Amino acid sequence: MPKFYARRRLSILGVLTGLIASAALFNSPSASAALPTPVSAATARSYLSQLTVATEDRTGYSRSLFPHWITISGSCNTRETVLKRDGSNVVTDSSCAATSGSWYSPYDGATWTAASDLDIDHLVPLAEAWDSGASQWTTSERQAFANDLTRPQLIAVTDNVNQAKGDQDPATWMPSVTSYRCTYVRAWVQVKYYYDLSVDSAEKTALTNYLASC
């Protein structure tokens, strides 16, 4: 069992409660919220200093080991919940698919009016999580991570930008919008700290350097 379950008394029920609460976002057709605000730069620096530095190991990884997207409310799954949260004037059909709206992608500064142009990025990629400790989790714990709407872990972004990012960490990939990089690394460290995931040496160096200028 990951250490964060003992350290922060996180339960699957608690995560699911947060997910269900997030379904209230569908009540407003003009919701324009975005990524949950990450911790401050000072807190992120403190968290980073406490993360274990370890070599990554991808042995046995499969995306299917992180079940997503799960149902949040009614016919709405996690992807649809994030699209509603991160968009403006989002209209959905009876199956909860977004039929219209506007989405701003903070990674590259692009604005889109078709949901099909958006991917939901796992800010800390699933493969990265596996490499950093999630290989020791249960399937239920990995499902909670892959659908976490409470931490700054899921965000709607331009699809090809997300695909270019792939499973890279901040040592090799960062958003092209430089003004968003501080937010990005603060969120990255918060998620890693919350889930007690390790960092490799190049990743820690990159995070340290970016946080120094936040």
Side-chain angles (χ1 to χ4, degrees):
M1 176 179 293
K3 294 178 182 178
F4 72 88
Y5 275 77
R7 187 169 72 190
R8 299 172 182 80
R9 298 186 178 182
L10 176 66
S11 68
I12 298 301
L13 177 61
V15 172
L16 293 178
T17 297
L19 296 179
I20 292 169
S22 296
L25 292 167
F26 285 90
N27 293 331
S28 172
S30 59
S32 58
L35 187 77
T37 302
V39 296
S40 68
T43 298
R45 286 190 286 269
S46 174
Y47 284 177
L48 180 59
S49 71
Q50 299 174 60
L51 295 183
T52 299
V53 178
T55 302
E56 296 181 350
D57 181 2
R58 192 157 300 183
T59 304
Y61 170 72
S62 171
R63 191 173 177 84
S64 64
L65 295 169
F66 292 79
H68 65 288
W69 304 112
I70 62 172
T71 299
I72 300 301
S73 177
S75 60
C76 302
N77 66 21
T78 314
R79 170 182 165 82
E80 292 155 347
T81 301
V82 176
L83 284 172
K84 184 70 172 181
R85 182 198 72 186
D86 289 1
S88 297
N89 302 311
V90 178
V91 176
T92 57
D93 62 20
S94 59
S95 65
C96 204
T99 57
S100 64
S102 177
W103 293 268
Y104 173 78
S105 170
Y107 287 2
D108 59 329
T111 297
W112 304 97
T113 56
S116 59
D117 289 321
L118 284 300
D119 277 356
I120 306 306
D121 181 38
H122 289 95
L123 194 137
V124 174
L126 304 181
E128 170 71 24
W130 178 272
D131 297 349
S132 307
S135 60
Q136 304 302 310
W137 299 353
T138 66
T139 299
S140 293
E141 290 161 359
R142 287 192 288 268
Q143 175 177 294
F145 175 84
N147 297 276
D148 188 352
L149 293 168
T150 303
R151 262 58 57 182
Q153 164 67 349
L154 298 173
I155 185 170
V157 296
T158 303
D159 54 3
N160 59 0
V161 171
N162 181 54
Q163 291 151 24
K165 171 187 172 181
D167 55 16
Q168 298 179 81
D169 69 33
T172 56
W173 188 92
M174 285 291 284
S176 60
V177 175
T178 56
S179 61
Y180 196 72
R181 291 178 177 179
C182 183
T183 299
Y184 187 82
V185 294
R186 285 157 47 212
W188 183 284
V189 172
Q190 179 179 346
V191 171
K192 283 235 162 170
Y193 178 83
Y194 184 83
Y195 285 98
D196 203 25
L197 295 169
S198 63
V199 290
D200 63 37
S201 57
E203 177 187 356
K204 183 171 184 178
T205 296
L207 290 167
T208 299
N209 290 339
Y210 283 115
L211 285 171
S213 61
C214 284

